[in-house]
Amino acid sequence: MIKKSILKTLALGFLSILSGISNAQNTADYRVVPLPMEIIQNQESPFELTRETKIVTGDDSQIMRRNAGFLQQYIKQQTGIETIIATKGGSSRIVLQTGLKSDSPEAYEINVSGDVITLTGASETGVFYGIQTLRKSLPVKKSSSISFPSAVIKDTPRFSYRGMMLDVARHMFSVKEIKTFIDMLALHNINRFHWHLTEDQGWRIEIKKYPRLTEVGSMRKETVIGRNSGRYDGEPYGGFYTQDEIKEIVKYAADQHITIIPEIDMPGHMLAALSAYPELGCTGGPYEVWTQWGVSEDVLCVGKDKTLKFVENVLNEVMDLFPSEMIHIGGDECPKSRWEECPTCQAKIKELGLKADDHHSAEERLQSHFISQVEKIINDRGRKLIGWDEILEGGLAPNATVMSWRGMSGGIEAAKQGHDVVMTPNSHVYFDHYQSTDVARDPLAIGGYSPVERVYSLEPVPSVLSKKQRKHILGAQANLWTEYIPVFEHAQFMVLPRMAALSEVQWMEPENRNYEDFLQRLLKLIEIYKINDYNYAKHIFDLNAEFAPNAKDNTIDVFLSSLTEGDIYYTLNGTAPVKHSPKYKGVIKVDKDAIVMARTYFNGESSRVFSESISFNLATTKPIKSLQPIDKQYGYDGISTLVDGLNGNNNYRTGRWIAFRGNDLEAVIELGSEPVTIREAALTTNVVKGDWIFDVRQFKVLVSDDGESFRTLASRDYDPLQKNDSDGIKNHVLRFDPVKARYVKIIGKSEKSMPEWHGGAGMPGYLFVDEIVIK
C-alpha cells in the first residue's frame, strides 16, 4: 500500500515523465534503478554533454573500446546526440578507465566536473556498470545538450551473483529474442543468465554425439491447451539452438559482462531425451516428448552405467560451449517410482549398500550418489555444480551450490552445511506468477501472485544464519518458466518491471531500499523500456486499494490511491465509474453488500477499472482472535482476513487466503455486546493438491456467552482426499437449530498426514481458508 504522504511526490514525477515538461528535462538524474550506494552532489559547474563530447578510453583494450561503444550507443538512442570515441580527450570528455581499489571487480566511481566525467571501475566490468548508471541518468528526449550536475557517485553491488532464469524448453525464443533478453538483463545490472535448455517437453541444445536429442527430442507432436485441460492444439511444436548459435549468444552476453549458466535438467525432467534414446530409461519405453505440463514419472535410469556415460558426454559438449564456472544440472522434481520398481536400480542400491533411514529413502540416496558422480564429471573440467534444492535430498554432493526455490529453507540448510547458495524462492521471484489479483484481465499464468512490491520485499539473507553462514549466500535470482508463455512479448510482460525490483534486491543493501522511492525512480526507467519497445506490464499504474474491517463502525473501510495525481472516481453498485461518478475524497465506509469500482483519469488517459465485491454476514468486520498460529509464509493480513467481506479466487497467493500447516484453524468471533441469533456457519477452503494444499478434515462450530466456556452446535468430519478428487474452492456449510450467542468458535482441522498416493506422503498438508460466514 503506497503511503498517502508520498503520493503527490510520486504523481508529479510520473506526470513530468509522461508529458516531457519537467524543468529538468535536459538534466541528468543520478537517482536511477538500482540506486547507487552514494551520490554526493556539489555546487560546481555542471558538465554539458554535446556532439563535441568525446568518450575517451583510458586504455585501448578491446573490452574498453566495446564499453565505450555501448555508452555512445545509449547516448544517441536516448538523446540523439552523436558523440565521438577517441583515445585522447578534448575540452568536453567522458573518460573511461580502470584502477579503482575495491574488493568487488564490479565497483565503480563517477566524478562529474565542469569539463570532464571520469568513470573509474575496479575492472572493465565495473566500468560497464558505471556506464549503465550514466545511461539511466540520461533523460529520454531528443536534445542538443544534456547537463550533468557536478557530483561524485560511488557504487558497488551487494551480491556477486545476480541472476535471471529463462526456460526455453516449454516454449523457445529466437536467437534475436534471446539477445534482446540479454540486453534487458544488462539494463538491470544482472550478471548471470541461467538458461534452462532441456525438459520433458523439449530438448533445445544441439549435442553432436547424440543427434537424436534434437532430431526427435526437440519436437512434440502437439501442446495441451491451458492447464492440462485434456484438450490439445494438434500443432507440432519444437526447435533447438545449434552450437554455432549458442556460441554467438554466449559471446553476445559476455560482451555485456553477463555469464550464461546452462542447465541440463537431470535425472528427472528427461522425457525428451528418453524419447530419443529409450535405452536410458528404466522401462525401455516407448516414450514420447511430453505434450502436457507437470512432472513425468519417467526419468533417467541411474542404475545403468551407460546413463552416466551419456551424461558425461552431453556435459562435456555443454562445457565446451559455455565457459561458465557453474554448470546447472537441475536435480528437481525427480519421482522415484520407476527406480523403486527397476531391477537395475535396485541392484545398484544393493551394490552401493544404500540404506533407508528416518530422513531419506534408499532411492533418494541413489539420486545423491548419481549427483555426486555428475559433480565429479563437472569438477574434472574445473567447473562447479549447481542444482535446485532437491539435490539436498539423500545428502548433498561435496562441493555443490544450492539454488533454493521451495522457499528459503533449502538454502538455509545448505548454508548451515557450508555450501554456497543462490536464493530464488517461489514465494517472491517466480515471474510466471500473476502480477495482480485481477487474474481475469491478465494473460493466463501458472498461478501464484508475485506483484512488484512482493519482489521488492525479498531479503535473500535469512536472519537465522550466523555471520559466517551468511557469507554462503551468493545472491538472488528470479525465474521465468514458460508453460503458459508462448511468445517473447508475453515473456517481456512477465518480467518487466518486476526485473527492476529484482535488480535493487540484488544490488542494494537492504537498509537503503525504499519501495515508494523505487516506484518514483522506476517511472524514468520505463521510458527506456518504451524506446526499446519492451512490452512491460502496467499494473503499477492501476489503482491501489486497501480494505480494513472496522469493528467499531461495523464497516469495511476502503482506501484508494494511485501513482498519479488525477482524481479518483468510484461507484458501489457495480457500474463502471465515469467523471460524473462520486469523487474519492478519503475513506469509503461500506456497511452492506457492494461492488466497489474505481478509476482515475490523468494526462488525458484513464487507469484500468478497479473492481472488488464486498459481502456482509453476521461475522463481517467483527473482532476475531486466532487461537492457533497462522503459517508465517501465508499469513498476509492475519486472522481478520476471514471477516473482511472479501472472497478469494482460485489463486491462493493473492492475500485473500491465509494458511495453517501442522495445526488447525481455531478462531473466536465476537458477534456483539448482546447475543445474536444464528442458524448457519460456513467456511471456504481452497484445494490445490499438487501444491500440498488439502481440504479440512473436520469443520466444527461452537458458541459461548462469555468467550470462555464453549458448547458444540454442529460438527462434520471429512474423508481424506483421493487422488482424483477435484481441486478448487470448497464451501463447507453447517446448519443447526437457531440459537443465541455472543461468541462463535470456528474449528477447521487440517490434513496432518498427506496420503500415500501423494508426493508428500506422510507430511502435513496446508489448509487455506478464507471468509467465515455466519447467518
Side-chain angles (χ1 to χ4, degrees):
M1 182 66 185
I2 301 171
K3 300 295 184 292
K4 297 174 184 59
S5 61
I6 58 96
L7 284 178
K8 187 172 182 180
T9 302
L10 295 177
L12 289 173
F14 171 72
L15 289 177
S16 68
I17 288 170
L18 283 185
S19 62
I21 59 171
S22 168
N23 291 331
Q25 60 185 341
N26 292 330
T27 301
D29 182 356
Y30 306 129
R31 293 181 53 77
V32 300
V33 174
L35 184 66
M37 182 173 63
E38 188 174 5
I39 303 172
I40 306 169
Q41 290 191 232
N42 54 54
Q43 301 303 313
E44 296 180 16
S45 299
F47 174 86
E48 296 297 328
L49 173 68
T50 70
R51 59 183 300 179
E52 303 302 321
T53 299
K54 292 183 179 180
I55 300 173
V56 180
T57 55
D59 62 69
D60 198 32
S61 70
Q62 183 180 7
I63 297 175
M64 288 297 278
R65 289 198 305 272
R66 187 184 303 120
N67 279 344
F70 282 125
L71 180 56
Q72 182 186 49
Q73 169 192 329
Y74 301 148
I75 292 171
K76 181 178 179 181
Q77 181 191 40
Q78 290 178 219
T79 69
I81 298 172
E82 297 192 31
T83 53
I84 304 165
I85 297 176
T87 55
K88 294 182 179 179
S91 59
S92 174
R93 63 197 184 278
I94 302 174
V95 177
L96 308 180
Q97 62 185 22
T98 57
L100 181 68
K101 302 299 182 183
S102 173
D103 293 334
S104 170
E106 297 177 307
Y108 67 87
E109 183 174 308
I110 301 172
N111 284 270
V112 182
S113 61
D115 56 358
V116 62
I117 295 177
T118 304
L119 195 172
T120 308
S123 69
E124 293 91 343
T125 302
V127 172
F128 181 77
Y129 289 119
I131 287 171
Q132 294 305 316
T133 292
L134 288 178
R135 167 198 192 178
K136 287 177 278 193
S137 70
L138 289 167
V140 179
K141 182 182 183 297
K142 300 304 179 185
S143 179
S144 59
S145 67
I146 302 295
S147 179
F148 285 77
S150 181
V152 176
I153 302 168
K154 299 179 181 181
D155 202 10
T156 187
R158 180 187 184 193
F159 294 114
S160 61
Y161 186 107
R162 303 183 302 281
M164 180 74 218
M165 188 281 291
L166 179 64
D167 164 25
V168 296
R170 276 59 175 246
H171 287 102
M172 71 173 291
F173 311 107
S174 70
V175 170
K176 181 180 179 182
E177 289 167 337
I178 295 297
K179 288 182 176 180
T180 297
F181 192 78
I182 290 168
D183 293 341
M184 291 160 53
L185 301 185
L187 174 64
H188 295 86
N189 293 22
I190 292 173
N191 64 0
R192 298 291 190 277
F193 172 26
H194 173 181
W195 202 4
H196 186 85
L197 289 161
T198 67
E199 261 301 338
D200 293 320
Q201 295 85 6
W203 186 281
R204 304 286 175 232
I205 176 173
E206 179 187 21
I207 303 295
K208 294 186 182 297
K209 193 172 185 66
Y210 298 101
R212 285 177 59 82
L213 286 173
T214 47
E215 291 171 0
V216 175
S218 70
M219 295 295 299
R220 58 178 181 260
K221 67 180 182 182
E222 58 186 356
T223 303
V224 69
I225 296 171
R227 295 194 185 97
N228 287 345
S229 63
R231 296 179 294 114
Y232 294 82
D233 62 12
E235 298 289 333
Y237 184 92
F240 63 93
Y241 304 96
T242 68
Q243 292 200 359
D244 285 342
E245 288 173 330
I246 286 173
K247 291 174 183 177
E248 179 185 344
I249 291 169
V250 167
K251 181 183 184 304
Y252 189 84
D255 286 349
Q256 300 192 67
H257 303 269
I258 293 170
T259 299
I260 300 182
I261 299 174
E263 180 182 355
I264 309 297
D265 206 349
M266 64 181 79
H269 292 285
M270 269 281 180
L271 191 52
L274 294 180
S275 301
Y277 297 96
E279 65 272 18
L280 298 175
C282 290
T283 68
Y287 307 106
E288 69 171 2
V289 182
W290 228 17
T291 57
Q292 62 181 16
W293 315 127
V295 179
S296 171
E297 294 289 319
D298 288 302
V299 302
L300 288 179
C301 180
V302 297
K304 297 176 180 177
D305 293 338
K306 69 172 64 175
T307 299
L308 189 63
K309 190 63 179 176
F310 165 81
V311 168
E312 180 180 10
N313 291 334
V314 167
L315 288 178
N316 275 323
E317 286 200 37
V318 169
M319 288 186 282
D320 288 342
L321 293 169
F322 295 92
S324 167
E325 182 182 31
M326 287 183 176
I327 303 296
H328 206 300
I329 54 84
D332 63 313
E333 297 178 327
C334 180
K336 311 298 190 292
S337 56
R338 295 288 188 258
W339 297 352
E340 291 168 358
E341 300 171 358
C342 174
T344 306
C345 288
Q346 291 302 311
K348 179 64 72 173
I349 287 173
K350 185 175 181 180
E351 174 192 332
L352 296 170
L354 304 177
K355 303 291 185 182
D357 58 24
D358 292 340
H359 302 288
H360 303 292
S361 68
E363 289 74 25
E364 287 175 334
R365 299 284 187 197
L366 180 62
Q367 174 167 320
S368 178
H369 169 77
F370 172 77
I371 297 296
S372 295
Q373 294 295 102
V374 174
E375 183 182 43
K376 185 177 185 304
I377 294 168
I378 293 172
N379 291 165
D380 285 348
R381 291 285 299 269
R383 313 295 185 87
K384 293 182 179 179
L385 180 148
I386 183 172
W388 303 109
D389 55 53
E390 284 95 332
I391 64 174
L392 288 162
E393 297 170 358
L396 191 55
N399 302 302
T401 298
V402 170
M403 190 165 275
S404 187
W405 73 275
R406 297 178 298 180
M408 309 277 272
S409 57
I412 292 170
E413 181 183 346
K416 287 181 176 179
Q417 293 179 22
H419 290 269
D420 288 340
V421 174
V422 174
M423 287 296 189
T424 178
N426 58 357
S427 56
H428 289 73
V429 286
Y430 264 46
F431 287 178
D432 53 336
H433 288 177
Y434 283 107
Q435 301 177 68
S436 84
T437 57
D438 191 2
V439 297
R441 289 194 290 180
D442 275 357
L444 179 67
I446 197 168
Y449 176 54
S450 299
V452 171
E453 186 171 10
R454 184 168 299 171
V455 175
Y456 198 84
S457 70
L458 173 65
E459 171 44 51
V461 182
S463 58
V464 298
L465 296 178
S466 68
K467 185 177 181 180
K468 181 179 179 181
Q469 291 164 348
R470 293 179 189 187
K471 293 180 179 179
H472 287 291
I473 308 300
L474 302 181
Q477 174 175 296
N479 302 327
L480 182 64
W481 304 101
T482 60
E483 289 94 334
Y484 308 106
I485 303 172
V487 296
F488 186 64
E489 289 76 10
H490 188 177
Q492 290 181 313
F493 175 87
M494 298 302 282
V495 302
L496 300 178
R498 288 190 282 194
M499 194 185 284
L502 172 71
S503 74
E504 297 222 337
V505 170
Q506 295 171 330
W507 189 273
M508 295 173 61
E509 296 295 335
E511 62 270 19
N512 295 333
R513 298 201 326 250
N514 178 282
Y515 181 66
E516 288 79 14
D517 182 65
F518 160 76
L519 285 177
Q520 187 176 15
R521 291 179 283 110
L522 174 60
L523 295 172
K524 193 174 75 169
L525 182 62
I526 285 174
E527 293 302 298
I528 299 180
Y529 294 171
K530 290 178 181 178
I531 61 170
N532 283 283
D533 294 323
Y534 296 160
N535 183 37
Y536 65 96
K538 300 175 177 62
H539 300 93
I540 62 166
F541 301 124
D542 288 349
L543 287 174
N544 294 281
E546 181 179 333
F547 297 82
N550 185 332
K552 179 182 177 182
D553 296 341
N554 290 325
T555 59
I556 299 294
D557 293 348
V558 184
F559 301 90
L560 301 175
S561 59
S562 77
L563 276 176
T564 74
E565 67 173 4
D567 291 327
I568 298 173
Y569 299 88
Y570 72 93
T571 62
L572 299 178
N573 59 5
T575 60
V578 295
K579 288 187 175 180
H580 301 298
S581 302
K583 185 184 295 186
Y584 176 73
K585 297 180 179 179
V587 61
I588 304 170
K589 302 184 79 66
V590 180
D591 60 4
K592 59 184 178 182
D593 290 359
I595 300 175
V596 180
M597 303 186 81
R599 65 154 42 119
T600 183
Y601 296 86
F602 57 94
N603 200 41
E605 301 183 33
S606 66
S607 67
R608 294 196 308 178
V609 175
F610 170 84
S611 179
E612 184 71 74
S613 295
I614 299 176
S615 300
F616 275 76
N617 65 81
L618 293 176
T620 307
T621 77
K622 299 301 190 295
I624 182 171
K625 178 172 66 174
S626 182
L627 303 184
Q628 297 197 37
I630 303 168
D631 183 80
K632 290 182 180 179
Q633 185 175 353
Y634 300 107
Y636 301 114
D637 290 334
I639 196 66
S640 65
T641 302
L642 304 186
V643 293
D644 63 5
L646 307 174
N647 294 304
N649 58 25
N650 283 313
N651 188 341
Y652 63 84
R653 296 178 184 269
T654 61
R656 295 286 186 259
W657 303 87
I658 58 173
F660 297 83
R661 187 179 184 218
N663 62 333
D664 303 318
L665 161 66
E666 187 176 2
V668 174
I669 302 167
E670 183 180 356
L671 297 180
S673 58
E674 298 294 331
V676 177
T677 300
I678 63 173
R679 56 176 57 85
E680 179 182 308
L683 177 67
T684 307
T685 61
N686 195 345
V687 175
V688 188
K689 299 189 297 297
D691 289 353
W692 295 30
I693 303 173
F694 279 65
D695 207 349
V696 288
R697 292 298 307 276
Q698 184 187 67
F699 177 26
K700 195 172 185 179
V701 181
L702 305 90
V703 294
S704 170
D705 295 324
D706 57 8
E708 300 293 334
S709 177
F710 285 87
R711 63 186 186 278
T712 301
L713 286 185
S715 179
R716 180 178 176 182
D717 294 326
Y718 297 86
D719 293 332
L721 285 180
Q722 301 301 309
K723 187 173 184 178
N724 293 327
D725 287 341
S726 64
D727 287 356
I729 296 174
K730 313 293 181 182
N731 191 35
H732 302 282
V733 181
L734 290 176
R735 296 182 177 88
F736 36 83
D737 293 334
V739 63
K740 287 191 172 185
R742 279 190 62 201
Y743 299 89
V744 176
K745 180 185 288 189
I746 299 293
I747 295 176
K749 292 194 173 181
S750 66
E751 178 60 77
K752 303 300 192 303
S753 178
M754 287 183 285
E756 289 298 320
W757 55 261
H758 194 272
M763 300 288 286
Y766 287 95
L767 173 66
F768 272 79
V769 293
D770 185 20
E771 210 65 5
I772 293 173
V773 175
I774 298 176
K775 297 181 180 180

